[in-house]
């Protein structure tokens, strides 16, 4: 994201991303900048029924509340209308309170006739998730039904966003009213003792619907007034966004099985005809832009099948056999290259964190000014004088920079070369196979190093170096680095790339100012080769945990949080939250007082039935989440956990939701408050066991490397790629001979039987999708 703010003075902008008014992400703050660049990317897994994606640009204030600069709101329909996604500058609009509505209201409307007189009865039952309008984070809502200059109001329920009215409002109608084409409007307002009431939303129902169906009822989404303000002509600034909506209908597993069988067959029984497997055909129809997504999807499919090593070996063997110049090996963005990259991220991310995180944290904490390029040295940036003789010289800056880079680089190299036993076995076996294929292809003495370069090219250049360059993208840090730290990371990444190239290209580039690092790079070559030899020294026949990252014993997230477990009817205090260290695996959510404690308290993931946010007014604390579990007796228990910021909150919410996504006991609703002083702070109900007053959000998660395997979703992604390339597949398999007005199609490929099967699978899936779509249309009833 990139922002231009048209205003005088300065700002400290950051951006909040919301889905239907739920905050799902927050960018870093760019201090004292009217033209901030964030460059942050988020993948959001959302329910099909979401309505709006909005971006609020804020100005952070160290004292008081942050100011709103402006916002951009995109409807689901607007995003979906852009087939290739939205990529443009959009003007910020002012935030109008009358447009910032949320929530739903439960109504029952009935048109009655009694003794020749008609009346409209509106049962106002309850509302949920209303917008907070008061300073304490709640509202004082009441509802009003309006029709043809007649109106009636409910009572006011104070200090809640989840009011229960249970009242029936009646409007007497004249005969003329029955012919009116107007709408019945139900409005919700926040009552204020001083000043005017605040608008909370409205519902409009056509009076004609009551003629057709005298009794209407259900939950209705609250809508804004509709007085949309213009975008202020760009006076508030503009935000550049790239947004793409991918919406799929996922079929039952049995429909995808023929496609999975063909993909498995490609690696279990590879044909001698190189271009006639399902994988090679998929690569032919995959665009460069989509190849990375396809590669990650395939990695997950074969991880799920326990065949990721044969899959990578198949692609790598094909790539190696087609390469004549070893200098170009794996240099393109082929499916093999992308698959290896995504494979390392899928199974090696925890390993990368273990190796790099201490050093990355040190670089961020020390914030040293480091520069080697004479053209970029700024003597005013040095934090302290290096020389006692006066001003700092360029030579002194370079000297101190070389010393610090030596220290950082030595730590990185030592950490990597000492990590053989930490590297996931499945990665080691995959690299062993790669080493073997390269050694078989390039047997000449002058190509002795190619077998090392093939592995180090992936290991150092495509895994460790990118993680050093941009730690946030690899979840090593919560925020992007500042300018000074970014430069240090860039220099370290450059140096590590030279290490990965075994120092073979030193001195041949334009950056001769990197020469002071050449000695340490050259000295590390021997230890790197020794490390690679040990890395592939693993028995191929050993039982390899191919799905290592998804195994129960693997910790997918950990860190300090503040915990309070609700037990009994006691008063919950904000001071009851105690610092604890948490671990999350696919089977357990555990915590202890310290990370090194062996005795831990644990919650089985299979007992989790909701993972949700907690309203700020429940404990007068921000960034609190709740984990609701169910014991063997069916009793619900709630653990409240406070995170340090909104991003950490979203990450933990997402991680625990993904771990529990397949649980059968998930709750459809929950209480966003706490039970205090004999009632729930959210809906004011006294009964502790009453059903939740807000809908749960288990489907809202952040997409990252820890996403659980979902074979149906992955197969659907591959099907869509093949469907888009169906015509290209046909052209590849057949050729057209023109003979006058006739065109004869003849088979030209020996592997046409497999190709025909693949096309039939695509067409069968296409027909199933059409059938399901027709069924959905037949099942749709009138929804207002």
């Amino acid at each position: 994201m990139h922002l231009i703010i048209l205003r005088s003075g300065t700002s400290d902008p950051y951006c909040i991303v919301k889905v239907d008014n739920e905050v799902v992400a927050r960018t870093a703050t760019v201090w004292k900048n009217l033209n901030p660049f964030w460059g942050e990317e988020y993948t959001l897994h959302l329910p099909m029924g979401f309505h709006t994606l909005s971006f609020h640009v804020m100005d952070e204030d160290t004292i008081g509340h942050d100011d709103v600069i402006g916002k951009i709101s995109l409807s689901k329909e607007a995003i979906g209308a852009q087939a290739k996604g939205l990529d443009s500058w959009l003007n910020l609009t002012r935030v109008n309170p009358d447009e910032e509505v949320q929530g739903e209201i439960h109504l029952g409307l009935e048109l009655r006739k009694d003794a020749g007189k008609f009346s409209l009865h509106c049962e106002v039952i309850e509302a949920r998730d209303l917008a907070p309008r008061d300073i304490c984070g709640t509202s004082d809502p009441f509802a009003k039904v309006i029709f043809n200059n007649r109106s009636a109001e409910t009572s006011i329920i104070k200090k809640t966003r989840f009011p229960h009215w249970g009242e029936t409002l009646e409007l007497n109608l004249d005969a003329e009213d029955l012919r009116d084409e107007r709408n019945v409007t139900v409005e919700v307002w926040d009552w204020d003792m001083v000043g005017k009431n605040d608008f909370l939303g409205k519902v409009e129902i056509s009076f004609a619907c009551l003629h057709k169906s005298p009794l209407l009822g259900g939950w209705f989404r609250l809508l804004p007034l509709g007085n949309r303000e213009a975008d202020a002509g760009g006076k508030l600034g503009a935000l550049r966004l790239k947004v793409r909506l991918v919406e799929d209908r996922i079929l039952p597993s049995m429909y995808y099985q023929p496609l999975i069988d063909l993909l498995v067959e490609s690696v279990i029984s590879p044909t001698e005809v190189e271009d006639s497997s399902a994988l090679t055909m998929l690569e032919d129809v995959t665009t460069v832009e989509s190849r990375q997504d396809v590669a990650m999807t395939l990695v997950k499919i074969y991880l799920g099948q326990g065949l990721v090593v044969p899959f990578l070996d198949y692609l790598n063997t094909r790539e190696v056999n087609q390469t004549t110049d070893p200098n170009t090996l794996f240099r393109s963005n082929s499916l093999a290259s992308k698959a290896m990259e995504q494979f390392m991220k899928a199974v090696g991310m925890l390993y990368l964190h273990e190796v790099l995180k201490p050093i990355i944290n040190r670089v961020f904490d020390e914030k040293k000014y480091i520069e080697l390029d004479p053209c970029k040295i700024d003597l005013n940036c040095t934090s302290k004088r290096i020389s006692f003789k006066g001003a700092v010289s360029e030579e002194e800056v370079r000297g101190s920079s070389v010393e610090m880079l030596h220290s950082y680089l030595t730590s990185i190299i030592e950490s990597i070369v000492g990590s053989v036993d930490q590297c996931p076995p499945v990665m080691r076996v995959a690299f062993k196979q790669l080493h073997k294929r390269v050694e078989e292809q390039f047997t000449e003495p002058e190509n002795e190093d190619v077998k090392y370069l093939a592995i180090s090219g992936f290991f150092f250049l495509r895994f460790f170096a990118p993680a050093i360059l941009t730690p946030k993208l690899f979840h090593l840090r919560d925020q992007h680095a500042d300018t000074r730290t970014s430069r240090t990371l860039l220099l370290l990444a450059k140096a590590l790339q030279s290490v990965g190239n075994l120092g073979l290209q030193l001195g041949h580039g334009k950056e001769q100012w990197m020469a002071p690092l050449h000695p340490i790079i050259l000295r590390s070559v021997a230890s790197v080769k020794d490390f690679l030899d040990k890395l592939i020294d693993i028995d191929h026949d050993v039982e390899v945990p191919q799905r290592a990252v998804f195994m129960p014993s693997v910790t997918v997230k950990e860190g300090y949080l503040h915990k309070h477990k609700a037990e009994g009817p006691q008063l919950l205090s904000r001071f009851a939250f105690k610092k604890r260290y948490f671990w999350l695996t696919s089977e357990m959510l555990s915590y202890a007082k310290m990370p090194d404690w062996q005795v831990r308290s644990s919650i089985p993931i299979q007992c989790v039935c909701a993972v949700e946010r907690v309203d700020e007014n429940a404990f007068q604390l921000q960034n609190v989440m709740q984990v609701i579990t169910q014991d063997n007796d069916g009793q619900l228990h709630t653990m409240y956990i406070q995170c340090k910021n909104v991003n950490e909150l979203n990450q933990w919410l997402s991680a625990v939701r993904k771990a529990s996504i397949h649980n059968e006991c998930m709750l459809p609703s929950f209480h966003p408050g706490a039970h205090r002083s004999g009632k729930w702070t959210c809906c004011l109900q006294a009964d502790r066991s009453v059903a939740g007053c807000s809908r749960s959000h288990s489907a809202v998660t952040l997409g990252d490397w820890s996403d659980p395997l979902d074979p149906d979703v992955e197969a659907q992604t591959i099907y869509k790629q093949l469907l888009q390339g169906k015509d290209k597949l046909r052209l590849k398999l057949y050729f057209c001979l023109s003979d006058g007005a006739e065109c004869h199609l003849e088979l030209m490929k020996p592997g046409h039987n497999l190709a025909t099967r693949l096309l039939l699978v695509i067409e069968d899936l296409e027909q199933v999708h059409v059938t399901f779509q027709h069924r959905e249309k037949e099942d749709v009833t009138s929804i207002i």
Side-chain angles (χ1 to χ4, degrees):
M1 291 183 286
H2 189 191
L3 173 69
I4 293 179
I5 304 172
L6 300 179
R7 60 194 293 184
S8 59
T10 186
S11 292
D12 304 312
Y14 66 91
C15 190
I16 288 176
V17 184
K18 292 184 177 183
V19 175
D20 291 340
N21 291 293
E22 180 179 8
V23 177
V24 294
R26 181 201 191 276
T27 68
T29 300
V30 182
W31 302 100
K32 297 181 180 180
N33 198 317
L34 294 181
N35 301 290
F37 176 80
W38 287 293
E40 299 195 18
E41 181 177 331
Y42 304 97
T43 299
L44 305 174
H45 301 309
L46 303 174
M48 295 288 286
F50 90 94
H51 298 98
T52 306
L53 179 68
S54 60
F55 303 83
H56 287 66
V57 180
M58 312 291 292
D59 179 16
E60 183 165 339
D61 288 334
T62 54
I63 300 176
H65 291 284
D66 297 346
D67 299 322
V68 181
I69 297 175
K71 78 161 193 172
I72 291 170
S73 185
L74 301 172
S75 67
K76 177 184 176 182
E77 293 73 21
I79 303 171
Q82 306 290 330
K84 294 184 178 180
L86 179 70
D87 181 4
S88 63
W89 285 95
L90 300 174
N91 290 335
L92 296 176
T93 62
R94 292 184 177 86
V95 175
N96 182 353
D98 289 342
E99 299 297 319
E100 300 297 304
V101 303
Q102 64 186 64
E104 300 170 303
I105 187 168
H106 192 185
L107 301 172
L109 290 95
E110 183 179 7
L111 185 62
R112 293 183 181 179
K113 183 179 181 181
D114 186 16
K117 295 183 178 181
F118 287 89
S119 61
L120 174 64
H121 288 245
C122 179
E123 185 182 7
V124 184
I125 304 169
E126 58 185 325
R128 61 190 178 194
D129 298 304
L130 299 178
R133 288 288 189 255
D134 298 336
I135 194 169
C136 59
T138 62
S139 290
D140 304 319
F142 68 93
K144 176 191 290 188
V145 59
I146 306 169
F147 179 70
N148 202 14
N149 295 322
R150 295 176 173 84
S151 66
E153 297 179 0
T154 67
S155 59
I156 300 167
I157 301 182
K158 295 188 176 181
K159 296 183 179 180
T160 180
R161 299 193 303 117
F162 302 86
H164 286 254
W165 290 289
E167 300 180 22
T168 300
L169 305 178
E170 181 179 355
L171 297 179
N172 294 319
L173 306 179
D174 298 331
E176 292 78 10
D177 294 329
L178 301 178
R179 297 191 294 271
D180 204 301
E181 297 297 327
R182 299 182 184 182
N183 295 328
V184 178
T185 302
V186 179
E187 298 179 344
V188 183
W189 292 83
D190 168 45
W191 176 82
D192 283 334
M193 181 179 294
V194 180
K196 67 175 185 177
N197 298 331
D198 300 314
F199 181 70
L200 292 175
K202 69 174 182 178
V203 173
E204 291 187 339
I205 300 170
S206 172
F207 192 72
C209 292
L210 290 171
H211 280 296
K212 297 177 183 177
S213 177
L215 181 62
L216 287 176
W219 284 95
F220 297 82
R221 179 182 169 223
L222 292 170
L223 300 175
L225 277 177
N227 301 327
R228 291 190 172 273
E229 189 172 345
D231 63 9
K235 293 179 181 178
L236 300 176
L239 182 68
R240 183 177 181 184
L241 296 171
K242 291 184 179 180
V243 184
R244 183 166 64 97
L245 176 65
V246 178
E247 194 170 24
D248 279 329
R249 178 187 294 104
I250 308 301
L251 302 174
S253 301
M254 62 180 181
Y255 294 107
Y256 296 112
Q257 195 56 48
L259 177 58
I260 297 295
D261 291 341
L262 282 176
L263 293 173
V264 168
E265 182 181 318
S266 297
V267 300
I268 290 182
S269 306
T271 175
E272 294 182 3
V273 183
E274 289 189 341
D275 57 351
S276 60
S277 75
L279 278 175
T280 53
M281 294 178 189
L282 175 61
E283 182 171 17
D284 287 339
V285 301
T286 302
T287 63
V288 176
E289 294 79 14
S290 63
R291 193 158 293 162
Q292 180 166 305
D293 291 339
V294 170
M296 185 48 139
T297 303
L298 288 172
V299 165
K300 286 190 170 186
I301 287 175
Y302 286 104
L303 275 169
Q305 297 292 324
L307 294 169
V308 71
V309 170
F311 159 65
L312 295 170
D313 186 42
Y314 174 83
L315 292 180
N316 290 338
T317 300
R318 191 164 170 269
E319 179 97 353
V320 169
N321 291 345
Q322 292 177 352
T323 304
T324 56
D325 182 1
N327 294 316
T328 63
L329 184 62
F330 294 113
R331 296 295 183 182
S332 65
N333 288 321
S334 63
L335 186 59
S337 298
K338 289 297 183 183
M340 285 294 289
E341 280 185 39
Q342 300 306 313
F343 162 70
M344 290 188 293
K345 289 181 181 179
V347 305
M349 193 66 80
L350 296 172
Y351 161 61
L352 178 139
H353 280 213
E354 195 172 350
V355 172
L356 285 185
K357 196 162 190 175
I359 306 156
I360 295 297
N361 287 343
R362 178 187 162 197
V363 174
F364 271 76
D365 293 341
E366 293 181 352
K367 288 184 169 58
K368 298 287 187 181
Y369 177 70
I370 294 175
E371 185 55 75
L372 297 181
D373 187 350
C375 299
K376 294 185 178 180
I377 290 178
D378 185 353
L379 299 181
N380 294 322
C381 287
T382 54
S383 58
K384 63 180 180 179
R385 303 213 311 187
I386 301 175
S387 171
F388 292 103
K389 299 179 181 179
V392 179
S393 67
E394 288 190 9
E395 184 177 350
E396 289 170 322
V397 172
R398 280 174 56 83
S400 65
S401 298
V402 170
E403 182 180 347
M404 288 305 303
L405 287 172
H406 269 235
S407 175
Y408 291 145
L409 190 58
T410 299
S411 298
I412 291 172
I413 294 172
E414 288 178 352
S415 184
I416 292 175
V417 299
S419 67
V420 172
D421 294 335
Q422 298 164 265
C423 185
V426 67
M427 282 183 68
R428 297 178 64 183
V429 172
F431 284 133
K432 179 176 182 177
Q433 286 296 98
L434 176 59
H435 178 277
K436 176 183 177 182
R437 301 306 180 194
V438 175
E439 192 174 38
E440 291 172 347
Q441 177 71 4
F442 301 101
T443 57
E444 301 82 5
E446 61 270 21
N447 293 327
E448 173 67 21
D449 285 338
V450 177
K451 59 189 178 186
Y452 293 110
L453 290 167
I455 300 174
S456 65
F458 286 116
F459 204 75
F460 288 89
L461 276 65
R462 298 194 183 213
F463 193 43
F464 281 105
I468 291 172
L469 183 63
T470 52
K472 185 178 187 296
L473 298 185
F474 287 76
H475 306 284
L476 288 165
R477 297 288 297 190
D478 290 334
Q479 306 291 351
H480 285 297
D482 57 28
T483 304
R484 175 179 290 192
T485 305
S486 292
R487 183 60 180 172
T488 301
L489 295 174
L490 174 61
L491 294 173
L492 287 172
K494 285 178 178 289
L496 194 64
Q497 286 178 332
S498 297
V499 172
N501 283 324
L502 306 181
L504 296 178
Q505 299 177 6
L506 291 181
H508 299 296
K510 298 179 180 180
E511 299 173 341
Q512 295 301 316
W513 41 266
M514 289 284 289
L517 297 181
H518 290 179
I520 187 175
I521 293 172
L522 292 172
R523 285 196 303 270
S524 68
V525 170
S527 61
V528 168
K529 286 186 176 180
D530 181 61
F531 163 71
L532 295 176
D533 285 333
K534 292 178 181 177
L535 193 70
I536 63 173
D537 185 15
I538 184 171
D539 187 356
H540 191 189
D541 297 327
V542 73
E543 185 177 349
V544 177
Q546 310 248 352
R547 298 176 61 180
V549 70
F550 308 101
M551 295 296 285
S553 60
V554 174
T555 301
V556 295
K557 192 164 183 62
E558 60 182 299
Y560 276 109
L561 300 169
H562 288 79
K563 169 202 153 295
H564 185 293
K565 186 173 183 180
E567 291 287 359
Q570 82 277 14
L571 182 67
L572 298 173
S573 166
R574 60 182 299 177
F575 302 107
F577 285 81
K578 303 298 182 183
K579 190 174 183 180
R580 295 293 182 264
Y581 197 87
F582 279 78
W583 297 265
L584 174 66
T585 72
S586 61
E587 284 197 344
M588 289 287 177
L589 176 64
S590 308
Y591 58 91
K593 196 169 185 179
M594 301 291 290
D596 54 354
W597 280 32
Q598 297 301 313
V599 179
R600 304 177 182 179
S601 300
S602 297
I603 297 174
I605 290 296
Q606 65 182 10
C607 296
V608 173
C609 48
V611 187
E612 299 291 342
R613 284 177 168 79
V614 177
D615 280 348
E616 183 177 340
N617 67 315
F619 301 104
Q620 305 306 313
L621 290 172
Q622 294 181 332
N623 308 316
V624 178
M625 61 182 277
Q626 57 181 309
V627 179
I628 304 174
T629 57
Q630 189 175 47
D631 61 23
N632 293 332
D633 298 326
Q635 296 295 313
L636 297 181
H637 304 273
T638 305
M639 177 194 291
Y640 297 100
I641 302 171
Q642 186 191 20
C643 304
K644 64 183 179 182
N645 55 48
V646 68
N647 280 344
E648 184 179 68
L649 171 65
N650 285 322
Q651 290 163 12
W652 274 99
L653 280 170
S654 180
V656 183
R657 283 173 179 173
K658 284 189 282 191
S660 58
I661 196 169
H662 297 300
N663 288 2
E664 296 180 357
C665 60
M666 300 305 290
L667 297 175
S669 61
F670 75 104
H671 288 285
H675 198 271
R676 304 178 60 181
S677 302
K679 62 182 179 182
W680 287 99
T681 60
C682 44
C683 58
L684 308 181
Q685 297 293 301
D687 185 358
R688 177 185 286 271
S689 62
V690 70
C693 56
S694 180
R695 285 197 293 183
S696 56
H697 304 85
S698 59
V700 181
T701 59
L702 297 171
D704 58 24
W705 62 271
S706 66
D707 284 352
L709 300 180
D710 192 329
D712 297 338
V713 172
E714 292 142 14
Q716 172 66 19
T717 301
I718 298 302
Y719 155 70
K720 283 181 62 178
Q721 286 293 323
L722 290 169
L723 181 64
Q724 291 173 7
K726 186 172 69 171
D727 293 337
K728 189 175 180 180
L729 278 175
R730 283 204 179 99
L731 289 174
K732 184 176 177 62
L733 294 170
Y734 301 94
F735 68 91
C736 187
L737 300 176
S738 179
D739 182 16
E742 296 183 358
C743 187
H744 302 284
L745 300 179
E746 297 185 9
L747 294 171
M748 62 175 289
K749 292 288 183 182
H752 69 269
N753 288 334
L754 176 61
T756 302
R757 288 168 57 198
L758 182 60
L759 284 169
L760 288 174
V761 166
I762 297 170
E763 290 169 354
D764 286 347
L765 280 169
E766 188 177 12
Q767 185 57 48
V768 172
H769 272 280
V770 171
T771 302
F772 270 78
Q773 189 174 9
H774 286 165
R775 287 179 185 172
E776 289 172 2
K777 289 181 178 179
E778 292 170 0
D779 292 341
V780 168
T781 57
S782 298
I783 300 176
I784 300 176

